[in-house]
Amino acid sequence: MSRARGHLTRLLAAGGTLALLAHVLPDARSASSDAGHAIVIDAARVQSAERAWIATTGRTPDAGERAALVDAEVDDEILYREALALGLADGDTVVQNRIAGNLAFVEDGPPPGTVPDDALGRDMLREDVVVRRRLVDRMRARLEQAALADEPGDEVLAHALAANAERFRLPARVRIAVAPADGSAPGAPGALAAPDAAAVRELPAQSERDLARTYGASFAREVLQASQGAWTPPIAATSGRWRVLVHEHDPPRVPPLADVRNQVRDLVRREHAAAAVRRALDELRRGYAVSFAGDPADR
């Protein structure tokens, strides 16, 4: 075993697939062990979470965001330990293949598809970041399961749509006709006369963003502000100069529930699942002693 550990150490030092977090937390143990319910978050773990935050957002987290990062680290550790206690690693092909693949680099390692029940195997189970993420995700999904199975009724969906009106609000749209400006300049004699009917092209109702994709942002802004029922002077666009007739303005509106039922349903189910996980974690956290080492700000 000492020789195997030596090989593992050299593998990690050479940049192998394992990322050890031994400085972060004590060993995960059975839920029946008091020591297994002690969680220590040290400065190194907080700094790692901060680096990931900066890489994603491009800025340093403020005090509130930093506290949330620490809370998330505690939550993940609890989910990981509860997954182990429930035996979710047993028979999980992702976990088994990951550990077996890592052990294949170690001399006298076990054959593929088997996970050794010894200190080396437990180290890999605890310290491999892919294994940890897999178990955290499986435990979270387990806590979400009941909430996701609950189908929200129309009253719940209608309330959610009203509460999230801005999320589902449709932008203002305009239905227009366009015609080439034939080189005439704004304000030139005859510029406001109706164009030749053969040159007129009718467009479906479009938002400012839709128009901007085809004709450019400045054209779209002018069209959305144009009066209804009269041909405009020529308006510059990315594809030349156009005259525009606004048939109809459609102001921003919240669509009826029937039009967005699936989207609102998904939102409600995600919110219910997140709330279920939060309640479960708050309850589970009562059984753990969480402490902080290093930077006093982590507290």
Side-chain angles (χ1 to χ4, degrees), residues 104-221:
F105 289 98
V106 181
E107 185 178 343
D108 300 327
T114 61
V115 178
D117 185 19
D118 59 16
L120 181 58
R122 289 192 297 273
D123 283 347
M124 290 185 175
L125 188 64
R126 181 180 68 250
E127 295 162 354
D128 185 281
V129 292
V130 173
V131 169
R132 289 179 67 89
R133 177 47 51 191
R134 169 70 173 179
L135 293 177
V136 166
D137 289 345
R138 285 199 63 190
M139 188 64 201
R140 188 181 297 275
R142 188 185 185 97
L143 297 179
E144 291 175 342
Q145 191 171 10
L148 290 174
D150 184 21
E151 198 63 40
D154 284 353
E155 184 176 350
V156 173
L157 295 179
H159 182 271
L161 177 57
N164 295 275
E166 288 305 313
R167 180 187 298 226
F168 293 98
R169 189 180 302 280
L170 298 175
R173 299 195 307 169
V174 62
R175 187 169 60 84
I176 64 175
V178 297
D182 295 328
S184 58
L192 298 182
D196 185 348
V200 174
R201 181 155 57 98
E202 297 287 344
L203 301 181
Q206 298 184 66
S207 68
E208 182 175 344
R209 178 179 295 181
D210 296 331
L211 287 171
R213 279 197 291 264
T214 305
Y215 296 96
S218 61
F219 177 93
R221 283 194 299 270

Side-chain angles (χ1 to χ4, degrees), residues 189-287:
L192 298 182
D196 185 348
V200 174
R201 181 155 57 98
E202 297 287 344
L203 301 181
Q206 298 184 66
S207 68
E208 182 175 344
R209 178 179 295 181
D210 296 331
L211 287 171
R213 279 197 291 264
T214 305
Y215 296 96
S218 61
F219 177 93
R221 283 194 299 270
E222 286 197 49
V223 169
L224 264 292
Q225 296 169 5
S227 299
Q228 185 172 319
W231 283 96
T232 68
I235 302 175
T238 55
S239 56
R241 294 160 59 79
W242 300 84
R243 296 186 60 199
V244 177
L245 174 64
V246 176
H247 291 304
E248 182 180 9
H249 282 286
D250 186 6
R253 64 186 178 89
V254 178
L257 177 60
D259 290 354
V260 290
R261 176 181 295 276
N262 288 339
Q263 297 96 306
V264 177
R265 172 182 173 272
D266 289 344
L267 172 64
V268 169
R269 293 175 76 243
R270 288 197 305 269
E271 289 178 343
H272 287 182
V277 172
R278 185 68 266 158
R279 288 192 299 270
L281 279 167
D282 288 345
E283 182 64 29
L284 289 169
R285 192 177 284 210
R286 296 176 185 176

Side-chain angles (χ1 to χ4, degrees), residues 7-94:
H7 283 288
L8 178 60
T9 301
R10 287 193 294 274
L11 168 66
L12 296 173
T17 57
L18 296 181
L20 296 184
L21 302 174
H23 64 282
V24 173
L25 295 165
D27 293 348
R29 299 181 177 86
S30 166
S32 62
S33 168
D34 290 340
H37 281 184
I39 295 176
V40 179
I41 301 294
D42 70 6
R45 183 160 189 171
V46 176
Q47 290 164 3
S48 177
E50 285 183 335
R51 286 193 295 270
W53 168 278
I54 293 170
T56 301
T57 66
R59 63 181 180 83
T60 302
D62 60 26
E65 291 162 342
R66 193 169 188 267
L69 291 176
V70 174
D71 273 343
E73 291 299 317
V74 175
D75 287 346
D76 278 2
E77 184 62 25
I78 291 173
L79 290 171
Y80 165 73
R81 296 192 189 192
E82 293 297 320
L84 286 182
L86 291 174
L88 299 188
D90 301 336
D92 187 296
T93 56
V94 172

Side-chain angles (χ1 to χ4, degrees), residues 91-106:
D92 187 296
T93 56
V94 172
V95 173
Q96 289 185 351
N97 290 340
R98 177 73 177 182
I99 293 179
N102 291 332
L103 286 172
F105 289 98
V106 181

